[in-house]
Amino acid sequence: MTNNLVWQDQHVSREDRSSIKHQKPCLLWFTGLSGAGKSTIANALDLALHNMGYHTFLLDGDNVRHGLNKDLGFSDTDRVENIRRIGEVSKLFTDAGLIVLSAFISPFASDRQLVRNLFDQGEFIEVFMDTPLNTCEARDPKGLYKKARAGKIQHFTGIDSPYERPENPQMTLDTSTLTIEQCLATLLSFLKENHYIREKHGKQASTDDTSC
Ligand code: ADP
């Protein structure tokens, strides 16, 4: 199908695009059980980075299924395709120079690896939200555990479908012991220490410092 397609080189490189944003593009991939705090922490980080003047984009599991992936169900094939498309979209956003945050349960190591393979070394940051099942279930923010326990939802991660723990995540956060502020501080330190963002915040950097 793609035999007659040739990759078109572009005059403006991804480095050109990110350099005017004073940031190093990357994908922060939040994975973990439902209720582990992926959306909450990804949203908090998105807001903090935005307020600091960085250019971000947040992809949230449920929202993507309302649009781009609304034709997909929850069969094995569709589940893999769901993650593949999210990976490809994230890749386009990082090519545009953005810091992308994705919050998806993504329970299977092979699916996460599929996305990791799309990115260069250091661009894919796996953030494992390692909140214990009993805390997630007690929170049950969407009432899904209750439904799963009652047999109204099948193949629910953590109940009757496995969650494969990441073996070498870049970061592990347990929101049963860490506050939102502590998670945020950990993530921001990581991004600064690894030069995804600068010590000085972006708004300041873009107005009083042109050395980037
Ligand atoms: P997920 O996206 O992983 O399904 P959510 O972020 O939607 O999880 O839900 C996590 C729930 O836990 C939210 O209702 C949030 O307010 C609550 N919560 C309590 N303490 C924390 C914490 N320290 N970090 C993140 N979420 C927390």
Side-chain angles (χ1 to χ4, degrees):
M1 199 163 63
T2 55
N3 282 353
N4 296 323
L5 296 178
V6 178
W7 186 262
Q8 182 71 49
D9 286 331
Q10 298 179 356
H11 294 305
V12 183
S13 71
R14 66 201 309 273
E15 287 73 24
D16 296 333
R17 293 182 204 283
S18 63
S19 70
I20 58 170
K21 299 183 190 302
H22 308 281
Q23 63 189 35
K24 192 162 107 184
C26 60
L27 168 61
L28 287 138
W29 187 271
F30 291 81
T31 171
L33 296 172
S34 179
K38 301 179 297 297
S39 295
T40 304
I41 302 300
N43 264 291
L45 180 61
D46 189 33
L47 182 61
L49 288 171
H50 177 79
N51 286 339
M52 292 162 79
Y54 293 105
H55 205 163
T56 59
F57 196 79
L58 174 65
L59 284 164
D60 190 277
D62 289 348
N63 297 355
V64 171
R65 278 198 177 267
H66 284 295
L68 176 71
N69 290 356
K70 73 175 173 187
D71 57 322
L72 299 178
F74 291 88
S75 68
D76 284 356
T77 319
D78 281 5
R79 195 179 41 70
V80 175
E81 177 61 10
N82 182 46
I83 297 289
R84 189 193 70 78
R85 287 187 201 171
I86 291 157
E88 292 287 357
V89 169
S90 303
K91 175 83 180 143
L92 287 173
F93 280 124
T94 59
D95 283 349
L98 274 65
I99 294 172
V100 183
L101 304 97
S102 298
F104 300 94
I105 297 174
S106 48
F108 299 112
S110 57
D111 293 351
R112 298 191 298 263
Q113 188 62 42
L114 194 91
V115 180
R116 185 186 283 273
N117 290 344
L118 295 172
F119 290 83
D120 289 338
Q121 181 79 16
E123 279 184 4
F124 179 89
I125 302 166
E126 192 169 40
V127 184
F128 176 27
M129 302 306 292
D130 190 14
T131 309
L133 176 63
N134 60 351
T135 303
C136 297
E137 192 166 357
R139 286 178 181 162
D140 206 3
K142 297 172 197 146
L144 298 176
Y145 284 99
K146 204 165 167 222
K147 284 189 187 162
R149 289 287 185 200
K152 291 181 186 154
I153 305 177
Q154 313 293 319
H155 310 300
F156 192 73
T157 304
I159 304 299
D160 57 352
S161 186
Y163 177 82
E164 296 173 2
R165 296 168 64 85
E167 284 182 9
N168 288 306
Q170 274 61 48
M171 220 172 309
T172 301
L173 300 169
D174 174 353
T175 64
S176 70
T177 56
L178 296 170
T179 63
I180 295 174
E181 292 70 28
Q182 287 169 328
C183 292
L184 194 53
T186 307
L187 285 157
L188 286 172
S189 300
F190 176 89
L191 292 175
K192 283 179 190 159
E193 279 161 21
N194 292 282
H195 311 293
Y196 294 97
I197 59 174
R198 308 171 73 189
E199 282 302 321
K200 268 189 203 173
H201 68 68
K203 269 183 185 149
Q204 203 180 351
S206 62
T207 53
D208 69 6
D209 184 347
T210 52
S211 63
C212 190

